[in-house]
Amino acid sequence: MKHYTYLVFVFSLHLFPGFNTNACAGATIQAYYPLQEGNEWVYSAIEDSEFSNETYKVESKEVIGGIETVKIVLSPQKSDFILYLIDAEGIKIKKYADQDGYEIIDPPILSFPVDIETEGIREYVGTFNRYSLDGTLMSSNIFKLTTEFLGKEDVIVPAGIFQSCIKLHQTMEEERNDGGYSKNELDIWLALGVGVIKEHEFTEELHSVQTQEKVYHMTIRELSSAVIDSKATGN
């Protein structure tokens, strides 16, 4: 499930000469997740034992319910996209779509708070409303998201070496109407002026209430390349 993997961005030493990392102490989430139109991130991903490349690109803005959002399209599935809402609280996910339908999140998930470096655990509760492609409501499931700032680390990924990256831990728990559930544990590293450079995700799902069958998935994503404000980095 990709509700918020979102998917869901300090520079590596070779990105932009003369960039002063000390001048950005205490930067807000907008500095860590640049969502200007045309920005693009390419990741190498391992889900369980399968390798793939995933591309996230800011393509446009879209108005939903009278609210302007930023649209990020996921490739290779061109039908997949995320709508982000940016307000005084931070960056929120309003809608997620795939080839089978879409989800409206009510209220929108605060994935990345504006004061991202604040210590302590934050908790958010809401509903995933799942619709078919024709707009028929299929399900409404309650979720709880907790986010914790774990400090800063230097990170090496295929795109390069990134210093003083923010590390977050997020837990997403969803209760399904049929008694099933899913739980995602996600570690996220963000580099100033670049975005998400690395993710470790572990998912547990109860598929069958009758048999108590559980399914587990492990996913690792690492940034291979990016284009931010028309400047390229990585491979």
Side-chain angles (χ1 to χ4, degrees):
M1 222 169 16
K2 296 182 179 178
H3 289 311
Y4 70 105
T5 301
Y6 334 50
L7 3 197
V8 355
F9 273 60
V10 170
F11 281 141
S12 71
L13 295 177
H14 65 276
L15 284 182
F16 295 100
F19 186 82
N20 184 355
T21 58
N22 293 326
C24 293
T28 62
I29 184 56
Q30 287 89 342
Y32 278 94
Y33 199 167
L35 291 175
Q36 297 89 341
E37 189 170 340
N39 286 358
E40 181 178 270
W41 302 265
V42 179
Y43 299 93
S44 58
I46 304 174
E47 183 171 353
D48 300 327
S49 59
E50 296 185 7
F51 293 79
S52 64
N53 290 314
E54 300 176 353
T55 300
Y56 293 68
K57 185 174 183 179
V58 183
E59 291 210 343
S60 61
K61 293 184 178 181
E62 184 170 314
V63 176
I64 177 171
I67 300 172
E68 185 177 84
T69 62
V70 176
K71 184 177 184 178
I72 296 185
V73 175
L74 286 60
S75 299
Q77 295 84 15
K78 290 293 187 180
S79 60
D80 292 12
F81 65 85
I82 300 169
L83 295 184
Y84 281 114
L85 164 66
I86 304 172
D87 63 16
E89 293 183 303
I91 297 175
K92 304 175 179 180
I93 296 179
K94 175 64 178 175
K95 180 179 179 179
Y96 170 78
D98 56 35
Q99 61 184 359
D100 299 318
Y102 60 93
E103 290 180 352
I104 301 294
I105 298 92
D106 184 29
I109 301 174
L110 182 58
S111 294
F112 302 111
V114 64
D115 52 342
I116 193 170
E117 296 182 39
T118 300
E119 296 183 356
I121 298 175
R122 310 173 195 230
E123 183 175 301
Y124 312 96
V125 178
T127 304
F128 287 122
N129 297 304
R130 179 71 183 180
Y131 296 85
S132 63
L133 291 174
D134 65 5
T136 301
L137 179 63
M138 306 298 290
S139 63
S140 293
N141 298 326
I142 302 297
F143 72 84
K144 180 175 73 173
L145 171 68
T146 59
T147 299
E148 183 178 10
F149 170 65
L150 298 182
K152 293 184 177 181
E153 298 179 356
D154 295 344
V155 179
I156 300 175
V157 293
I161 302 170
F162 296 82
Q163 295 182 317
S164 299
C165 298
I166 279 181
K167 182 180 181 181
L168 299 177
H169 180 76
Q170 295 186 333
T171 301
M172 172 73 77
E173 297 177 272
E174 179 181 357
E175 300 176 1
R176 299 205 310 261
N177 293 332
D178 62 2
Y181 70 86
S182 67
K183 182 178 181 180
N184 291 64
E185 298 281 350
L186 181 66
D187 288 324
I188 310 171
W189 289 261
L190 302 101
L192 189 65
V194 181
V196 175
I197 60 166
K198 186 177 180 180
E199 294 181 337
H200 286 179
E201 180 182 10
F202 179 76
T203 303
E204 173 187 324
E205 295 183 75
L206 178 62
H207 272 197
S208 172
V209 178
Q210 289 75 23
T211 65
Q212 292 296 297
E213 176 191 1
K214 293 183 180 180
V215 178
Y216 303 91
H217 298 287
M218 174 71 77
T219 304
I220 298 174
R221 295 180 183 86
E222 295 185 340
L223 186 69
S224 297
S225 64
V227 177
I228 306 297
D229 289 337
S230 302
K231 298 181 177 68
T233 185
N235 301 322

